[in-house]
Structures are given as C-alpha cells and as structure tokens.
C-alpha cells in the first residue's frame, strides 16, 4: 500500500481518503462527497513546542462517479488534499457564519464521515521524569462514523468508531471488510472502475440514511 502511494506521489492518508470516497459512493450513490480529516493543527514552527490541543477539522470534497477508475479516484483525492492543505488555516466555523447556510449548519453537518490518520507517537524525554503512554478507551464516538488509522513501520491498524444509535456491530464489520476490499483493488487492480469493485455484500441503498449522513 505504501509503495503504491509513493508511485502515485500520494500519502497513505490520501489513499485511505480515496477508499473512503469509493465506499461512500457505493452506499449512497451520490457523486458529491465530503470526508472530514482530523488535523494535528501544528503546522507552524512557533507552536510546535507549545503545550495544548490544536486539533482542527478539514473538509475534503471530491466528486466520484461509478465510471472512474480507482487510480483516478486516488489522483482526485491527492489534488483535493493538496489544495485543502494550502487553506487549512482558514477558520471553518467563521466561514460557515459568513456563508449564512442556516442556523443548524455546522462542520459536522457537512461531513459524510471522518478520517483520522494519526502519526506514530514520539518518545518524549524530560530530564527527571519518566513518561509512559496511557491508553484511553474510546467509549463515546464523536461523530456517526470515523475511521482512525495508526501507521507503523511494517503495518497499520484501522479503528472504526461509530454511534450505536445509527450502526450495529455487524454493519460496521461489513463496512470494514468492504473497505479492505477496496484498498486491495486500489493496489492490485487500479484500473478497476468504482462500480466494478466487487464487495462481499452489495450495499443496500436504504442504508444511505446511516452511511454518508
């Protein structure tokens, strides 16, 4: 997967974003899709050593149709990501206020699903202190559907977080398997079109109310 991403001059996150877009299109049938990416918010040198939370949200909007090849979707995802990153400092909430889309409009209401590609934890050394990571249980999902990815040297772990009011365990297991199939075809058969990807179970369009909104 990494070698394929490098060949496309894309990051691993871009390939995951492309796969999310394919999955959303297959479930919803919509061509205009928005995936929200979670950002660390530390893209400026002056705040790199500042203690605090700078996490932000970046909406990534892409157009996907069934006749596009998987390679073309990855290329579109790369272009969208590069453009969005160049504007990541723009305050999203302030922009929504200026657009005056309605009192109930928020960044969350515009996002079909979330993608959180986390960087490997760095060793923090402070003289006189012994620092160890402490796992935090994810008992509450912050949004209807979020895919978290933890890349490592030889593998990466995917974590699906979901609201139990909207999804059951069996549905999310199915989504995870279909997502892995899409990733496999992106690498092994990139000229496959979006509609030609063979999923273990064809999506039921009645599930659109849960997947992709």
């Amino acid at each position: 997967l990494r070698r394929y991403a490098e060949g496309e001059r894309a990051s691993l996150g871009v390939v995951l974003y492309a796969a999310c877009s394919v999955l959303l299109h297959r479930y919803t049938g919509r061509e205009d899709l928005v995936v929200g990416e979670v950002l660390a918010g530390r893209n400026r040198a002056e705040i790199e050593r500042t203690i605090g939370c700078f996490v932000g949200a970046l909406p990534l909007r892409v157009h996907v149709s069934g006749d596009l090849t998987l390679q073309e979707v990855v290329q579109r995802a790369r272009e969208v990501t590069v453009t969005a990153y160049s504007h990541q400092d723009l305050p999203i909430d302030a922009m929504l206020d200026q657009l005056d889309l309605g009192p109930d409009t928020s960044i969350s209401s515009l996002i079909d699903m979330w993608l959180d590609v986390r960087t490997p934890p760095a060793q923090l050394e402070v003289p006189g202190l012994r620092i160890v990571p402490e796992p935090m249980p994810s008992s509450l999902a912050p949004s209807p559907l979020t895919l978290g990815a933890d890349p490592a040297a030889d593998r990466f772990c995917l974590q699906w977080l979901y609201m139990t009011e909207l999804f059951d365990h069996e549905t999310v297991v199915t989504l995870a398997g279909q997502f892995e199939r899409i990733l496999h075809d992106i690498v092994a058969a990139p000229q496959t079109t979006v509609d030609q990807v063979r999923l273990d179970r064809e999506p039921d369009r009645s599930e659109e109310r849960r997947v992709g909104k």
Side-chain angles (χ1 to χ4, degrees):
L1 193 60
R2 284 192 174 89
R3 286 196 297 269
Y4 174 82
E6 291 171 359
E8 291 294 328
R9 296 180 293 112
S11 67
L12 184 60
V14 166
V15 178
L16 295 176
Y17 164 40
C20 287
S21 301
V22 172
L23 186 65
L24 286 169
H25 173 77
R26 289 293 297 270
Y27 265 87
T28 67
R30 290 188 288 110
E31 298 185 354
D32 190 2
L33 303 165
V34 182
V35 174
E37 182 174 0
V38 180
L39 298 178
R42 292 181 177 271
N43 59 321
R44 295 180 178 273
E46 59 268 26
I47 64 173
E48 286 183 355
R49 301 180 65 86
T50 303
I51 297 175
C53 181
F54 293 88
V55 174
L58 187 65
L60 302 172
R61 184 182 185 184
V62 68
H63 290 266
V64 176
S65 59
D67 58 350
L68 287 178
T69 67
L70 297 176
Q71 184 178 34
E72 289 172 331
V73 177
V74 171
Q75 292 170 348
R76 288 194 177 190
R78 183 191 64 211
E79 294 170 0
V80 168
T81 302
V82 169
T83 302
Y85 269 54
S86 66
H87 299 91
Q88 63 178 294
D89 290 332
L90 294 176
I92 300 298
D93 291 334
M95 290 176 57
L96 292 177
D97 289 340
Q98 291 294 321
L99 292 172
D100 193 22
L101 299 177
D104 297 329
T105 302
S106 65
I107 180 64
S108 297
S109 67
L110 302 177
I111 301 298
D112 293 310
M113 69 174 288
W114 289 88
L115 175 63
D116 182 11
V117 182
R118 297 179 280 263
T119 56
Q123 292 293 331
L124 181 62
E125 297 182 0
V126 179
L129 293 179
R130 177 173 170 269
I131 301 175
V132 295
E134 183 69 21
M136 297 180 63
S138 300
S139 58
L140 294 176
S143 61
L145 188 63
T146 299
L147 174 61
D150 292 291
D154 59 342
R155 67 187 66 185
F156 66 93
C157 177
L158 298 179
Q159 179 187 42
W160 293 84
L161 299 177
Y162 59 96
M163 289 184 175
T164 54
E165 297 90 342
L166 299 175
F167 298 93
D168 56 30
H169 177 74
E170 182 181 351
T171 298
V172 175
V173 169
T174 299
L175 287 172
Q178 293 171 336
F179 186 80
E180 290 183 17
R181 178 69 194 187
I182 293 169
L183 287 178
H184 174 273
D185 284 359
I186 285 176
V187 175
Q191 295 308 310
T192 302
T193 65
V194 171
D195 281 348
Q196 288 174 339
V197 175
R198 296 184 62 184
L199 304 179
D200 294 334
R201 178 176 72 85
E202 285 301 308
D204 183 352
R205 288 290 166 81
S206 66
E207 293 180 315
E208 178 180 354
R209 62 186 178 85
R210 296 187 293 170
V211 180
K213 279 301 177 190

